[in-house]
């Protein structure tokens, strides 16, 4: 059971939030001010904090910096509640390092989705830290230098997939390795309410769907096209035979898996608990690399706000507000739904 620390100076509101969270099967810690909230956080190390109000001893903008400076508390995600909906106030909350900012009055579902979203994102990233995709992709690229995997895809039938078609679904048994000849494919997990959490995007030249084949497990995620795509499908038997009969590739895979887990664990807090502003900047830079080609160094990013939110780990509404801020700051331009990055250097600075 996940634990939520609620810091709220209004007793009635505090109790109402507690009842709401307990009915949703969360363990709840209650604090009437920031000082008490810090004491409970140190003692119980909650999974997430919901903080509101101008409290007697410490307001929300005083509490968060203390959390961020404490090694035991810095990784705990923070959600602000406030009756103030002014743009400057919301932006101040985001820039201070908050993971989300919810204005009053709010629907019960809005708070629950925000809490579950941050917790779910952390779980997804924790799973990824045990399955290091970037390093395995590097192994695949290295294998490709030997023209081995490319040989697997050569002369195979090319399947055409329309936008939003499913290639494989979470929980199914893997039977194929996929090679993306053209287009874009997202991989994601889905919670019980149907909300998506995108863990990766594949572009032209990528192999994907190989981890479950290697581990002999069910798919831990789903794959879906985000634009019209051309895909080569390679039978599982051919891929496994390659690993068994090519010792060099097998050894590279083992070394990648053995050495990268600790590095991913170190990166996890930064990836999971950065502010919405930092996560949005990081997601835009990630998408920029996925849409960039050798002939086009300044591509347009054509992806739905829903999918961007799935990468960021927030609601589409919050991401849209953040994109609007970036546009106002001349970091990006948005034309007919397409995103163009104007100041890559400043976005890099924002995410660090």
């Amino acid at each position: 059971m996940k634990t939520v620390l609620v810091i709220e100076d209004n007793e009635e509101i505090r109790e109402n939030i507690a009842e709401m969270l307990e009915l949703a099967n969360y363990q709840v810690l209650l604090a009437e001010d920031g000082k008490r909230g810090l004491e409970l956080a140190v003692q119980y190390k909650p999974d997430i904090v919901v903080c509101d109000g101008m409290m007697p001893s410490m307001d929300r903008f005083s509490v968060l910096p203390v959390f961020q400076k404490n090694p035991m508390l810095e990784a705990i995600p923070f959600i602000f509640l406030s009756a103030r909906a002014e743009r400057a106030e919301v932006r101040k909350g985001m820039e201070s390092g908050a993971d989300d900012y919810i204005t009053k009055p709010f629907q019960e579902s809005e708070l629950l989705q925000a809490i579950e979203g941050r917790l779910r994102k952390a779980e997804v990233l924790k799973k990824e830290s045990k399955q290091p995709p970037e390093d395995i992709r590097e192994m695949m690229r290295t294998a490709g230098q030997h023209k081995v995997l490319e040989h697997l895809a050569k002369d195979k039938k090319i399947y055409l997939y329309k936008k939003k078609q499913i290639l494989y679904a979470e929980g199914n048994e893997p039977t194929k390795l996929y090679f993306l000849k053209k287009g874009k494919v997202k991989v994601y997990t889905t919670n019980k309410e149907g909300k998506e959490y995108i863990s990766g995007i594949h572009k032209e030249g990528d192999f994907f769907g190989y981890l479950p084949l290697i581990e002999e497990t069910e798919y831990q995620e789903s794959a879906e096209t985000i634009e019209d795509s051309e895909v080569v499908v390679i039978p599982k038997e051919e891929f496994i035979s390659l690993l068994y009969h090519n010792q060099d590739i097998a050894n590279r895979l083992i070394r990648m898996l053995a050495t990268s887990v600790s590095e991913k664990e170190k990166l996890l807090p930064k990836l999971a608990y950065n502010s919405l502003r930092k996560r949005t900047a990081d997601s835009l830079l990630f998408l920029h690399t996925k849409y960039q080609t050798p002939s086009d160094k300044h591509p347009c990013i054509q992806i739905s706000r829903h999918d961007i939110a799935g990468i960021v780990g927030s609601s589409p509404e919050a991401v849209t507000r953040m994109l609007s801020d970036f546009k106002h700051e001349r970091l990006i331009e948005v034309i007919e739904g397409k995103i163009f990055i104007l100041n890559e250097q400043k976005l890099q600075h924002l995410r660090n």
Side-chain angles (χ1 to χ4, degrees):
M1 182 182 293
K2 298 294 185 180
T3 300
V4 183
L5 169 60
V6 178
I7 307 175
E8 166 62 62
D9 62 331
N10 184 298
E11 183 177 1
E12 182 178 355
I13 295 175
R14 189 168 64 242
E15 295 297 334
N16 286 340
I17 293 176
E19 181 179 1
M20 178 196 313
L21 295 177
E22 287 170 350
L23 288 173
N25 203 33
Y26 289 106
Q27 182 176 340
V28 183
L29 302 172
L30 297 178
E32 66 279 5
D33 57 38
K35 182 178 179 181
R36 177 57 180 160
L38 286 168
E39 292 173 352
L40 289 174
V42 171
Q43 183 176 357
Y44 294 101
K45 298 182 181 61
D47 296 288
I48 193 167
V49 175
V50 176
C51 184
D52 179 66
M54 301 298 293
M55 294 166 288
S57 60
M58 300 176 73
D59 67 16
R60 57 185 180 274
F61 294 121
S62 301
V63 173
L64 182 53
V66 178
F67 271 72
Q68 293 170 332
K69 293 176 182 177
N70 188 319
M72 293 191 301
L73 307 178
E74 62 180 352
I76 300 175
F78 228 86
I79 296 177
F80 281 161
L81 297 178
S82 178
R84 300 182 63 180
E86 296 90 344
R87 183 186 184 90
E89 185 74 7
V90 174
R91 185 166 177 177
K92 181 181 178 183
M94 292 296 97
E95 291 181 343
S96 69
D99 294 277
D100 213 334
Y101 191 108
I102 299 176
T103 56
K104 297 178 181 179
F106 58 86
Q107 297 293 322
E108 176 179 335
S109 60
E110 186 179 2
L111 178 58
L112 292 176
Q113 287 174 7
I115 291 173
E116 185 175 346
R118 292 310 306 145
L119 294 176
R120 178 74 174 184
K121 186 69 174 181
E123 288 300 319
V124 169
L125 289 167
K126 188 178 294 183
K127 185 185 295 183
E128 288 179 4
S129 73
K130 298 176 182 178
Q131 300 177 353
E134 284 299 333
D135 289 320
I136 295 179
R137 278 198 288 273
E138 180 60 33
M139 182 280 293
M140 290 297 190
R141 288 191 288 270
T142 302
Q145 292 172 5
H146 299 287
K147 305 299 181 184
V148 179
L149 288 180
E150 280 81 350
H151 177 73
L152 277 179
K154 187 178 180 181
D155 299 326
K156 290 286 193 303
K157 181 179 178 180
I158 298 173
Y159 291 85
L160 304 180
Y161 287 83
K162 293 293 185 181
K163 181 179 179 181
K164 293 189 176 181
Q165 274 194 265
I166 301 292
L167 281 79
Y168 56 79
E170 186 175 353
N172 288 353
E173 181 181 353
T175 59
K176 303 176 181 69
L177 172 69
Y178 296 87
F179 176 73
L180 189 57
K181 190 173 181 65
K182 183 179 180 181
K184 300 286 187 303
V185 171
K186 66 179 179 181
V187 290
Y188 62 94
T189 57
T190 307
N191 67 8
K192 59 185 178 182
E193 279 79 31
K195 188 173 181 180
E196 293 178 5
Y197 300 89
I198 297 176
S199 55
I201 291 181
H202 298 293
K203 63 178 182 178
E204 180 179 329
D206 283 353
F207 286 88
F208 60 99
Y210 43 78
L211 272 175
L213 296 177
I214 296 169
E215 297 179 339
E216 298 184 342
T217 61
E218 297 176 342
Y219 285 116
Q220 301 300 308
E221 57 195 9
S222 301
E224 177 185 319
T225 56
I226 55 178
E227 60 185 54
D228 291 351
S229 302
E230 298 178 3
V231 181
V232 175
V233 177
I234 301 162
K236 172 183 178 180
E237 293 73 19
E238 289 188 34
F239 175 60
I240 297 301
S241 177
L242 167 67
L243 292 182
Y244 277 117
H245 294 93
N246 191 313
Q247 191 62 46
D248 180 54
I249 292 177
N251 288 341
R252 288 174 186 274
L253 174 61
I254 293 169
R255 287 197 297 271
M256 292 290 184
L257 289 171
T259 60
S260 61
V261 171
S262 62
E263 295 176 3
K264 294 294 181 181
E265 292 285 358
K266 292 176 183 177
L267 288 174
L268 180 60
K270 179 179 177 181
L271 292 172
Y273 303 122
N274 271 346
S275 68
L276 175 61
R277 184 174 171 85
K278 286 186 177 182
R279 298 198 315 271
T280 304
D282 188 66
S283 297
L284 288 175
L285 291 169
F286 166 74
L287 289 168
H288 185 262
T289 64
K290 293 299 180 181
Y291 281 85
Q292 192 176 52
T293 64
S295 59
D296 186 4
K297 300 298 183 182
H298 304 285
C300 68
I301 299 171
Q302 296 179 270
I303 187 170
S304 69
R305 300 297 180 268
H306 172 82
D307 283 341
I308 296 177
I311 299 170
V312 172
S314 188
S315 67
E317 294 78 14
V319 168
T320 298
R321 288 196 301 268
M322 192 56 59
L323 292 176
S324 178
D325 281 351
F326 286 174
K327 182 178 178 181
H328 180 73
E329 297 169 38
R330 299 293 299 162
L331 300 178
I332 64 172
E333 183 59 85
V334 182
I335 302 175
E336 297 181 350
K338 301 173 183 177
I339 301 172
F340 297 84
I341 292 180
L342 302 180
N343 195 331
E344 185 176 350
Q345 184 176 2
K346 189 165 182 181
L347 283 176
Q348 291 277 7
H349 178 73
L350 284 178
R351 77 173 184 179
N352 294 331

